[in-house]
Amino acid sequence: GILECKKLKKMDITGASDPYVKIKLLDSKGKRIGKKKKTTVKMANLNPYYNESFVFVVEENTLNKVNLEVTVLDYDMLGGSDPIGKVVLGKNRKKLEKKHWVEMIENPRRPIIHWHVLKDPEPGDDDDDDDKKKKDGKKDGKKDSKDSKKDAIKDTTEEKSDQIKVK
């Protein structure tokens, strides 16, 4: 689930962001498995609280091969949403991204909560589905709330910007 973000980057000229979080399950080659999930959009909020849960059905024998990509985006009504940052959890990751995944696998049905510092988005991390819907004149009113530049983790005592709390 996605709990909250804090100290997100200001993405709009208003000095705020309209964040939402996009979650994708990826196979070992980085290809999406199933449908991606999104939180609601929190308008003009650099410290959004979500407390939203999402379910991905994964066969037990593939748990060590998949990754969970969590991207925070700034929702824009015109054009595509702009990525703020992302974090990828999985067994093949390093440090907290791996530790969090392993703890979740070892403790099924128990929420394991960690702060993660968001990393800079990569080209193509913008919300392509929102682009298609906007061209069709549709709005889904959702946003991805991710942080960029850093991997914000609650385990550290220093306060970093662009953080997301994942459970």
Side-chain angles (χ1 to χ4, degrees):
I2 303 299
L3 276 175
E4 62 184 307
C5 296
K6 68 180 179 182
K7 297 186 176 183
L8 291 178
K9 207 184 316 178
K10 298 170 186 166
M11 300 292 285
D12 298 336
I13 54 170
T14 59
S17 289
D18 304 317
Y20 69 102
V21 183
K22 178 171 63 176
I23 307 106
K24 294 192 287 189
L25 188 67
L26 306 174
D27 66 14
S28 58
K29 295 179 178 123
K31 187 176 179 203
R32 190 176 79 222
I33 302 170
K35 292 187 174 183
K36 63 184 165 199
K37 322 270 186 183
K38 295 179 187 179
T39 65
T40 55
V41 176
K42 304 296 182 181
M43 302 303 286
N45 194 336
L46 298 177
N47 299 287
Y49 180 77
Y50 297 98
N51 195 23
E52 296 181 33
S53 296
F54 302 92
V55 175
F56 290 92
V57 178
V58 182
E59 294 180 30
E60 194 170 348
N61 62 345
T62 62
L63 281 173
N64 291 332
K65 300 173 189 157
V66 298
N67 287 325
L68 197 63
E69 181 181 271
V70 182
T71 306
V72 178
L73 296 134
D74 173 46
Y75 174 77
D76 287 322
M77 288 184 61
L78 300 172
S81 296
D82 301 314
I84 298 173
K86 74 175 182 179
V87 65
V88 180
L89 307 179
K91 182 78 184 282
N92 64 344
R93 307 298 295 172
K94 294 182 177 157
K95 300 183 180 175
L96 187 65
E97 295 172 12
K98 178 178 183 174
K99 179 179 184 260
H100 194 172
W101 183 262
V102 169
E103 286 178 16
M104 288 190 299
I105 302 308
E106 291 174 350
N107 299 280
R109 288 176 285 288
R110 184 172 153 239
I112 306 295
I113 301 168
H114 285 288
W115 279 104
H116 292 274
V117 176
L118 295 176
K119 293 186 169 80
D120 281 331
E122 297 165 7
D125 277 349
D126 54 334
D127 202 340
D128 46 357
D129 285 348
D130 278 357
D131 289 345
K132 289 176 194 157
K133 287 178 184 164
K134 285 181 184 119
K135 287 176 186 166
D136 293 337
K138 298 176 188 169
K139 298 175 192 168
D140 68 358
K142 294 188 178 177
K143 260 214 170 176
D144 251 29
S145 228
K146 274 291 181 171
D147 318 359
S148 71
K149 289 267 179 204
K150 299 165 189 156
D151 265 331
I153 299 167
K154 187 69 172 182
D155 290 356
T156 59
T157 51
E158 67 179 290
E159 284 294 311
K160 296 180 179 178
S161 63
D162 286 340
Q163 299 186 25
I164 186 165
K165 197 174 194 180
V166 180
K167 64 174 178 171

